[in-house]
Amino acid sequence: MVRSAVRVLVQGKPVDSYPALPPEAERGSPRRITEVGEEVLRRSCREVTEFGTPELSALIDDMFLTMYIADGAGLAANQVDVDLRLFVYDCPDDHGVRHIGHIINPVLDQPDPAHRLLIEETEGCLSVPGARMDVPRTDRTVVRGVDKDGNPLVIEGTGYFARCLQHEADHLSGHLYIDRLSKRDRKDALRQMADRHEEVLARRVEKAKALGHQLQP
């Protein structure tokens, strides 16, 4: 199935159409998603120094498939227990444009405080399954990095896509979105996770099965 009615940007460049399930996900194998409380989510990830390798391509493929199985809009490498500065995304912005790609060694270029507009909207995280809380984020951002072959990338995001880019960049610095919450709201998020954890993981098992893969429940 090809989405032709929605504009699509792949690695920041426009394309006429793109499959609902990208080729990377078709090639990938599912990986376990790490959860809040695991040490790998709490340390800054290492810079990627080797590019164009089969191992790096396979990791990106696996991350795409894992993200789709979990119905995510983005996924950082430490969410599959790999402490490298890399994330993948398939995320709409507020204008209905679909953004798909990966970025390695990303650096956020945020607007200066005088021109920064904070928007508070609901946010979730695949590593805090089942929880949704309001989090303030800037309404636009720019991420600079490279692709898997070492070619430079500049990805601009607005609205929900800007939120996604900031969320994933936080992961690579060892931060979760619940770190931006008050102590009371953080407890609420963890309570939501405890209540919905089994249900969320069961949905992932079913989604994997529908895509021809098998996950441990």
Side-chain angles (χ1 to χ4, degrees), residues 49-92:
T49 57
E50 295 185 21
F51 301 94
T53 67
E55 293 80 10
L56 185 58
S57 293
L59 172 60
I60 291 169
D61 292 347
D62 291 355
M63 289 173 63
F64 264 101
L65 178 60
T66 302
M67 176 178 69
Y68 281 99
I69 287 172
D71 290 323
L75 187 72
N78 56 354
Q79 291 183 275
V80 293
D81 204 22
V82 178
D83 67 335
L84 290 176
R85 294 190 61 78
L86 156 68
F87 66 79
V88 302
Y89 57 87
D90 186 343
C91 182

Side-chain angles (χ1 to χ4, degrees), residues 110-157:
Q110 297 282 57
D112 67 71
H115 299 93
R116 186 176 300 176
L117 177 62
L118 285 177
I119 305 292
E120 188 163 335
E121 289 186 349
T122 302
E123 198 165 315
C125 179
L126 302 184
S127 293
V128 193
R132 305 279 297 176
M133 299 295 295
D134 287 345
V135 182
R137 300 274 189 187
T138 61
D139 67 327
R140 57 192 174 93
T141 194
V142 175
V143 180
R144 305 176 191 277
V146 297
D147 67 14
K148 63 183 179 180
D149 296 313
N151 301 311
L153 284 174
V154 179
I155 305 297
E156 300 183 29

Side-chain angles (χ1 to χ4, degrees), residues 139-185:
D139 67 327
R140 57 192 174 93
T141 194
V142 175
V143 180
R144 305 176 191 277
V146 297
D147 67 14
K148 63 183 179 180
D149 296 313
N151 301 311
L153 284 174
V154 179
I155 305 297
E156 300 183 29
T158 59
Y160 185 69
F161 182 47
R163 177 174 296 274
C164 174
L165 294 173
Q166 293 167 77
H167 179 112
E168 301 309 328
D170 270 0
H171 271 302
L172 303 183
S173 297
H175 302 303
L176 297 167
Y177 86 97
I178 60 174
D179 298 335
R180 296 178 175 271
L181 303 176
S182 67
K183 186 175 180 180
R184 183 180 66 180
D185 286 348

